[in-house]
Amino acid sequence: MKVNFTYSFRKEITEAANMVLHSNDYRNLRSVVWPSLINLLSGASSKEKVIRKVEEIWKKISPQVEKTFKKFHLKEIGNVTCYLHAISCEGWFDVDDNSIHIRTTNHGNTINLVDTIIHELLHLATYDEKLNYDEREAIIDNFLVKPEFKNLVGRS
């Protein structure tokens, strides 16, 4: 797997519109950063710095992540685009374009950031359209409690 980190103002604005139009879907989520002019401008103006920081973090852990995915015979997901966001929930995935979306603001710390990236990559590797949201989350949760996955982010 190869994860390519990027920022797209178009994707950010699309997500902001989605959040406004479907706000009830976001209200019960654990952690949400709502769109504001300041959040949107901050994300756009600091994109290069954020991309470099996330790439630095990912470079240190990606070989072990790949090894762990292989150990559990997870589907090879190839090239994944990771869109970085200043708004929305912590993360989401899109099987149609093999992408994940990660919010980098108010994320807590590096452990939470890496945990979210791995969480969304696991969704791509285990996706089954016949499963509902809760069933898909249960599969991911079952992987993340395994020591091999806990050790990836220092949650042992």
Side-chain angles (χ1 to χ4, degrees), residues 7 9 12-13 16 20 33-45 86-87:
Y7 174 85
F9 190 69
E12 191 86 300
I13 294 299
V20 170
V33 174
W34 292 95
S36 69
L37 185 57
I38 290 174
N39 287 342
L40 293 171
L41 291 175
S42 173
S45 65
I87 61 165

Side-chain angles (χ1 to χ4, degrees), residues 48-64:
E48 289 91 4
K49 179 178 147 190
V50 172
I51 290 170
R52 278 193 308 275
K53 179 183 175 193
V54 174
E55 284 175 337
E56 222 174 80
I57 292 166
W58 186 248
K59 185 178 179 180
K60 294 175 188 172
I61 194 170
S62 63
Q64 192 60 36

Side-chain angles (χ1 to χ4, degrees), residues 91-116:
W92 65 100
F93 68 101
D94 186 343
V95 293
D96 293 332
D97 67 359
N98 206 43
S99 68
I100 61 175
H101 297 255
I102 305 298
R103 188 192 75 223
T104 57
T105 53
N106 295 1
H107 217 296
N109 56 38
T110 300
I111 290 173
N112 291 343
L113 178 71
V114 170
D115 195 45
T116 302

Side-chain angles (χ1 to χ4, degrees), residues 113-126:
L113 178 71
V114 170
D115 195 45
T116 302
I117 294 170
I118 292 169
H119 180 107
E120 300 309 329
L121 291 171
L122 280 167
H123 274 299
L124 290 178
T126 62

